[in-house]
Amino acid sequence: SVLITGESGTGKEVVASAIHRNSPRRERSFVKVNLGGIPPTLFESEMFGHVRGAFTDAKRNRTGRFAAADRGTILLDEFGELDPRCQVTLLRVLQDRTYAAVGQSTPRKLDVRVISATNRDLRRAVADGAFREDLLYRINLIALRLPSLAERRRDIPLLAGHFLARASTLFDSPQAPQEIAPEALAWLASQSWPGNVRQLEQFLARAVLVAHGPRLVVATCQRVTEMDAAGDHGDALPPVGKMTVDDLQKAMIEKSLKHHQGNISKAAESLGLSRAALYRRLEKYRIVP
């Protein structure tokens, strides 16, 4: 069993696919399941299948995901979203290495490699009582944490070149750039990329569509960024997990002070605080007006 963790967009599915391709099971099926999209009432039918007449709407036999992945690999994506009732069922299957289709009494041997993926902190979920500790032990014989793109900026030029070539081939545009200018590579490497590799891939696809000339330059990259900003009419808050409430409060106080040129009274009024309350926060966050 392999557990792959990491932020959304870091490439967990890509790594799972690579594990399958480099395993003795490579000639067999690689089945991907989004657990977050399966209602608890349909979990057993989806995962283990059912026989005709097992329940009201069971008009024909259905092959479950585990059967489809027989002797191959199954990727259980969004594992942290698994309902507690389904956790119990899956734990029993992984422990016994057998399962039965809904409406069938004869058990079937489970012969698949199970790869689980999640962007949640499962150990914290265990501590909060939202995830079974015994199930966590079952799925993470090998644990892999994928770093965010911000933690591996040196990979950005290689990834950008790969995505540029792929997008150029996909869109088959005569004006698609064939390479990235060094200044543009430096610009790409300097960005935060909260959406990680997935965001970088989408960015390069857009850049190919709006670019002119054989090279992707900084001006084109900035134009794509402006397109994103123009289309963002929704949530201006940072991604969940990137900043704490204290971080947000400190940043807002600093922004207000800068806007009001250090005037405590005006800054406090704009923040909805009294002068005394603002002074307490200045001391707490060690902000010098």
Side-chain angles (χ1 to χ4, degrees):
S1 301
V2 180
L3 172 63
I4 306 174
T5 59
E7 295 177 9
S8 294
T10 49
K12 295 185 286 295
E13 184 179 317
V14 175
V15 172
S17 178
I19 291 172
H20 173 72
R21 291 196 313 271
N22 288 277
S23 77
R25 300 174 180 267
R26 67 177 70 88
E27 301 300 328
R28 299 288 178 173
S29 300
F30 176 55
V31 176
K32 295 173 281 188
V33 185
N34 182 347
L35 294 180
I38 301 178
T41 53
L42 298 178
F43 178 76
E44 292 192 36
S45 175
E46 285 285 334
M47 300 305 297
F48 313 130
H50 63 249
V51 297
R52 181 181 178 184
F55 47 87
T56 304
D57 293 327
K59 301 188 183 331
R60 60 180 66 87
N61 292 349
R62 178 190 177 94
T63 300
R65 305 298 183 89
F66 276 114
D70 187 42
R71 299 173 65 187
T73 304
I74 189 167
L75 170 62
L76 304 179
D77 202 5
E78 294 195 27
F79 202 90
E81 307 306 316
L82 193 59
D83 183 88
R85 292 168 291 175
C86 302
Q87 292 178 30
V88 175
T89 303
L90 188 57
L91 174 63
R92 185 177 66 251
V93 169
L94 296 181
Q95 282 178 333
D96 299 340
R97 306 301 293 183
T98 61
Y99 68 96
V102 179
Q104 197 171 50
S105 57
T106 305
R108 179 173 181 171
K109 181 177 172 56
L110 180 68
D111 181 13
V112 296
R113 181 206 288 276
V114 178
I115 300 179
S116 308
T118 182
N119 58 10
R120 292 188 62 188
D121 184 341
L122 293 185
R123 295 197 179 279
R124 178 177 294 179
V126 168
D128 294 340
F131 198 86
R132 293 184 65 96
E133 187 174 24
D134 43 7
L135 179 56
L136 176 58
Y137 291 140
R138 283 285 171 186
I139 64 173
N140 75 339
L141 183 62
I142 298 295
L144 301 175
R145 175 191 169 272
L146 299 192
S148 66
L149 194 53
E151 295 176 76
R152 46 182 173 130
R153 293 184 184 277
R154 288 183 297 179
D155 291 347
I156 291 177
L158 183 64
L159 289 166
H162 170 70
F163 292 141
L164 180 79
R166 191 158 76 178
S168 297
T169 301
L170 175 65
F171 297 126
D172 193 24
S173 170
Q175 64 184 26
Q178 301 302 309
E179 61 177 351
I180 305 175
E183 298 81 7
L185 279 177
W187 186 92
L188 291 169
S190 71
Q191 303 305 299
S192 59
W193 304 114
N196 296 295
V197 181
R198 185 182 296 128
Q199 182 185 6
L200 178 64
E201 180 179 16
Q202 184 203 47
F203 185 92
L204 267 299
R206 283 185 173 185
V208 164
L209 291 173
V210 302
H212 295 277
R215 303 179 95 194
L216 180 64
V217 296
V218 173
T220 301
C221 294
Q222 292 173 334
R223 195 186 325 160
V224 175
T225 301
E226 289 167 3
M227 288 169 58
D228 281 337
D232 184 11
H233 302 296
D235 191 0
L237 293 171
V240 174
K242 289 293 183 182
M243 295 182 75
T244 65
V245 172
D246 282 345
D247 292 334
L248 288 168
Q249 196 169 72
K250 179 181 178 182
M252 199 63 226
I253 290 172
E254 289 175 334
K255 184 176 182 178
S256 182
L257 285 169
K258 183 178 180 180
H259 177 78
H260 293 291
Q261 299 179 330
N263 187 309
I264 298 294
S265 297
K266 290 183 178 180
E269 182 180 356
S270 67
L271 293 167
L273 299 172
S274 66
R275 283 174 57 91
L278 179 56
Y279 274 120
R280 287 196 296 272
R281 285 164 174 77
L282 293 177
E283 183 178 355
K284 175 182 179 181
Y285 300 126
R286 299 179 181 177
I287 299 173
V288 179

